[in-house]
């Protein structure tokens, strides 16, 4: 009798395993945020990245690939380690490329992070070309320019670290313009923060927490304007899994496994 019970249980386990193997794994589409510290910090409370993730809950995974302190020279080197041909590009809804705040550091004051303007532009275009080779066309790419620099506030931060002011707003503007031009040449969209934050003589300093990184107001600004570019790329994505009230309570498998 015990042998019969054991055999019966084995058959039951086998059938369950067979049924489980037929269940289709859910794959969430992805929005990948690739950038420097302004991206890395975007998942903090009230950050622009966490705001985008909240908007896309149950529709899309928002993946933070922000690398504090990085410039476009280093970014193009590590990008193939973040995305490659083995990834399913069909599941990538969009990629943001947000560099320039470190590239635009003054060469004589911060040679570690500085990248010459022309090289910065070429690096952006090279990253766009690489993304295309792994199945992410320019239409899914959004470049983001560096924001303006509040030199007075950032100089105080530099002084605390024992170094002189190492960024100028005018220089950040040159890199922003180069980013806009590179995006146009690649056929990608661009969010020109440097221009938008100073539009019509607006006081942009409230958008920055320390003169370089974003304040809560700045994060909300980025989220709002980025969503305007991102929304059309994710509008077609369905709500993943049924609304709870639509689940068949008597036989949930009928609702949840199809």
């Amino acid at each position: 009798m015990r042998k019969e019970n054991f055999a019966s249980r084995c058959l039951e386990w086998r059938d369950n395993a067979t049924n489980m193997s037929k269940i289709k794994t859910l794959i969430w589409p992805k929005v990948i945020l690739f950038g420097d510290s302004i991206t890395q910090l975007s998942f903090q409370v009230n950050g622009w990245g966490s705001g985008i993730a909240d908007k896309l809950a149950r529709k899309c995974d928002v993946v933070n690939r922000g690398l504090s302190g990085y410039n476009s020279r280093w970014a193009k080197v590590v990008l193939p380690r973040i995305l490659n041909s083995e990834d399913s590009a069909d599941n990538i809804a969009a990629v943001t490329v947000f560099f320039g705040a470190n590239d635009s550091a003054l060469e004589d004051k911060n040679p570690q992070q500085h990248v010459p303007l022309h090289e910065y532009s070429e690096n952006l275009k090279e990253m766009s070309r690489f993304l295309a080779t792994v199945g992410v066309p320019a239409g899914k790419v959004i470049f983001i320019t560096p924001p303006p620099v509040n030199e007075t506030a950032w100089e105080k931060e530099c002084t605390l670290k024992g170094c002189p002011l190492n960024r100028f707003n005018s220089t950040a503007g040159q890199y922003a313009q180069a980013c806009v031009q590179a995006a146009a040449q690649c056929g990608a969209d661009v969010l020109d923060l440097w221009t938008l934050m100073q539009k019509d003589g607006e006081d942009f300093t409230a958008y920055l927490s320390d003169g370089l990184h974003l304040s809560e107001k700045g994060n909300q600004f980025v989220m709002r304007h980025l969503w305007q570019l991102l929304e059309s790329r994710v509008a077609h994505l369905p709500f993943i899994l049924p609304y709870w009230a639509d689940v068949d309570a008597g036989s949930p498998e009928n609702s949840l496994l199809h």
Side-chain angles (χ1 to χ4, degrees), residues 14-30:
R14 186 195 66 185
D15 291 342
N16 287 339
T18 301
N19 290 333
M20 289 296 290
S21 68
K22 295 178 181 179
I23 296 175
K24 184 178 180 181
T25 302
L26 289 170
I27 299 176
W28 264 251
K30 295 178 183 178

Side-chain angles (χ1 to χ4, degrees), residues 66-125:
L67 303 165
S68 179
Y70 274 51
N71 56 33
S72 65
R73 180 184 294 163
W74 305 339
K76 74 173 184 180
V77 175
V78 300
L79 182 56
R81 301 188 67 187
I82 293 172
L83 276 174
N84 57 57
S85 57
E86 295 179 1
D87 294 309
S88 179
D90 290 341
N91 290 323
I92 296 176
V95 177
T96 61
V97 179
F98 191 174
F99 292 94
N102 297 314
D103 299 70
S104 60
L106 304 177
E107 183 176 15
D108 59 333
K109 300 295 192 299
N110 187 352
Q112 173 77 358
Q113 292 178 303
H114 170 79
V115 172
L117 186 62
H118 177 72
E119 182 189 341
Y120 167 70
S121 176
E122 291 303 311
N123 289 340
L124 294 180
K125 288 184 279 188

